[in-house]
Amino acid sequence: MPLVTAHRSGLVDQVIEQLRDSVARGEWPVGERIPNETVLVTSLGVGRNTVREAVRALAHAGILEVRQGDGTYVRATSEVSGALRRLCGAEWRDVLAVRRALEVEGARAAARRRTEDDLGELRALLARRDACLADGDTDEFARADAEFHLAVVRSSHNATLTELYRGLMEAIAASVASGQDAAVEVVDHGVLLDHIAAGDAERAARTAAEIIDGVLAGLPATDC
């Protein structure tokens, strides 16, 4: 019996990893429903109980959300993201406060450690972000903006900081989209990129803070 139990546990762990990998690779995007149980049993070649245990584990981790009578949906891309979304909830001030702390340190470190490849990626992402803004495409702008800021943090070459920021990306994208109609002075993101390219750590950090402070200023006073 112990051997059977160990084998079953190992099989469930394998299925968990397969499902987690499908989410991480974007095969099943956040907000979309994953294949039903019958399809998963067939595609994974395991029993229904194994699939159910794996789905239950990922739901507990915050990656999946089981909606009775409707199906199972992707809630987050990783355990880190799931935990941060639960902590932040719908309070954009909380989301933005965490975002500010991570981005300020990320921008400061990026100015010191960025490579030429990093700068090339940042310029390309900034151009895409600005094009979406000019086109009035709010959804694509939110995604492009989040990707630009993630690239800034990634340019810090601090793996822990980057993983924390990546985990918050879904909440960040939503907070950007929710603030687009706010009547605030928008800080030119090109200025942030210029400071990073120049290696000016303190100005980069200050500009990163100003960007988030501008969004915070535009939130309704009751949103706290």
Side-chain angles (χ1 to χ4, degrees):
M1 182 64 70
L3 289 177
V4 174
T5 302
H7 175 71
R8 178 173 177 76
S9 175
L11 190 58
V12 171
D13 288 342
Q14 289 177 35
V15 173
I16 288 173
E17 286 305 314
Q18 287 177 277
L19 298 179
R20 183 189 285 116
D21 185 60
S22 292
V23 171
R25 288 187 290 104
E27 181 180 339
W28 303 328
V30 173
E32 291 195 8
R33 184 168 52 190
I34 71 172
N36 63 37
E37 187 177 278
T38 301
V39 173
L40 290 176
V41 165
T42 301
S43 63
L44 296 172
V46 296
R48 289 182 180 275
N49 286 339
T50 299
V51 169
R52 288 172 185 168
E53 287 185 38
V55 168
R56 189 180 303 119
L58 291 175
H60 181 72
I63 293 176
L64 299 179
E65 178 183 358
V66 179
R67 302 177 188 174
Q68 294 300 325
D70 187 18
T72 300
Y73 290 76
V74 178
R75 175 172 173 78
T77 57
S78 68
E79 285 86 346
V80 171
S81 178
L84 288 171
R85 284 172 68 90
R86 282 197 300 271
L87 286 172
C88 292
E91 300 294 341
W92 297 130
R93 289 188 184 278
D94 292 345
V95 175
L96 290 169
V98 175
R99 177 183 175 184
R100 187 184 193 279
L102 296 177
E103 286 195 22
V104 167
E105 184 54 38
R108 178 181 286 113
R112 293 169 176 159
R113 302 175 183 172
R114 89 291 182 277
T115 65
E116 288 303 315
D117 286 344
D118 292 332
L119 292 177
E121 180 185 20
L122 286 170
R123 292 184 180 111
L125 288 171
L126 181 61
R128 177 185 158 207
R129 173 193 179 277
D130 291 347
C132 291
L133 180 61
D135 291 341
D137 190 336
T138 303
D139 290 340
E140 282 302 316
F141 171 80
R143 279 187 282 271
D145 185 84
E147 288 178 18
F148 172 78
H149 287 284
L150 172 61
V152 169
V153 176
R154 192 164 54 238
S155 297
S156 72
H157 296 277
N158 180 322
T160 302
L161 182 63
T162 300
E163 183 59 28
L164 284 171
Y165 192 84
R166 191 191 304 277
L168 195 63
M169 268 197 75
E170 289 98 30
I172 289 170
S175 71
V176 171
S178 71
Q180 286 314 294
D181 294 329
V184 298
E185 180 179 355
V186 178
V187 177
D188 185 352
H189 285 45
V191 174
L192 173 60
L193 179 51
D194 288 344
H195 291 325
I196 291 173
D200 193 327
E202 293 313 310
R203 285 187 177 180
R206 187 161 57 248
T207 302
E210 289 171 355
I211 289 173
I212 307 304
D213 289 343
V215 178
L216 280 165
L219 291 177
T222 54
D223 185 7
C224 59

